[in-house]
Amino acid sequence: MQKICKTAIFDFQEKDQDLIDELSKFLDENAKIALDFFEIEMPKDKVQINIIPSKEEFDNVFKSSRSLSKDYQVPSWLRGTCRDGVITYLSIHGYNGTTHAFDEKDYEKAIEDYKKTILHEYVHFINENFNKQKNCSYTERYLVEGIATYLSGQKEGQNLQLTASKEKILNPRNYYYNDYYLLTKYLVENYDKPFVLELFQSSRMARDFLTNELYDKAQGHSNKTPENSI
Ligand SMILES: [Zn+2]
């Protein structure tokens, strides 16, 4: 089945019809958050969003699209990816057996999370378009994941601290979402926008800046939260 809205083309199966209107409306209403941050217009080609019914199928799509071997272990928490204008997104009805499985009583909360996560993937899509327009091939991972987590509001209200070292954060084999979030939040809230967008276009600058300044400043800041000073 297919639904086309202002921002996206959704392809999905019948059992996902119950949430498709809510999901597309949420994306249409919040796409501006991503566009405003990257200071670009809505891309002419809408994002293609494929909702995959089960985690097994999601993992198979993930592996074949990246030419990974059948034995490759896709992390159990992975439920969305964005690449070349296509978002692959695990259905909320396929969370069983993943780290996102939830109790029926928490269904409302799970839907909120489901919506924020599609916005997270959409931020990646806009980041990709921004890079194309700027002729830049790559944004450093901590910024890519940090801005998607920050703009989608996924970590709002959580009391977080930096936990990983600079080296671990800069190693592309790792995933430290809380740390990426804290660093990017500090960057966005304390530095001029042109400078911030410049870092998104230069991996070298982004890595140097993290090593020489951002990490220490963000760490000093998170140690001074009111919760810790009581
Ligand atoms: Zn992401």
Side-chain angles (χ1 to χ4, degrees), residues 2-12 20 23-29 31 42-51 85-87 118 122 125:
Q2 193 175 69
K3 181 182 173 77
I4 302 178
C5 64
K6 207 172 74 193
T7 44
I9 300 167
F10 285 89
D11 274 290
F12 56 97
I20 208 74
L23 205 56
S24 57
K25 187 166 167 263
F26 179 81
L27 199 55
D28 279 353
E29 285 171 357
M42 172 89 73
K44 273 202 259 5
D45 293 329
K46 298 178 190 220
V47 63
Q48 169 71 43
I49 302 177
N50 298 327
I51 301 195
V86 179
I87 291 174
I118 198 82
Y122 188 74
F125 170 71

Side-chain angles (χ1 to χ4, degrees), residues 120 124 145 177:
H120 172 119
H124 289 331
E145 295 302 341
Y177 284 86

Side-chain angles (χ1 to χ4, degrees), residues 41-75:
E41 299 289 320
M42 172 89 73
K44 273 202 259 5
D45 293 329
K46 298 178 190 220
V47 63
Q48 169 71 43
I49 302 177
N50 298 327
I51 301 195
I52 312 293
S54 72
K55 177 65 172 153
E56 192 187 353
E57 219 174 301
F58 176 90
D59 289 356
N60 287 337
V61 172
F62 181 85
K63 285 186 275 196
S64 64
S65 66
R66 284 163 177 74
S67 310
L68 294 163
S69 84
K70 282 202 176 106
D71 304 329
Y72 181 85
Q73 278 295 318
V74 181

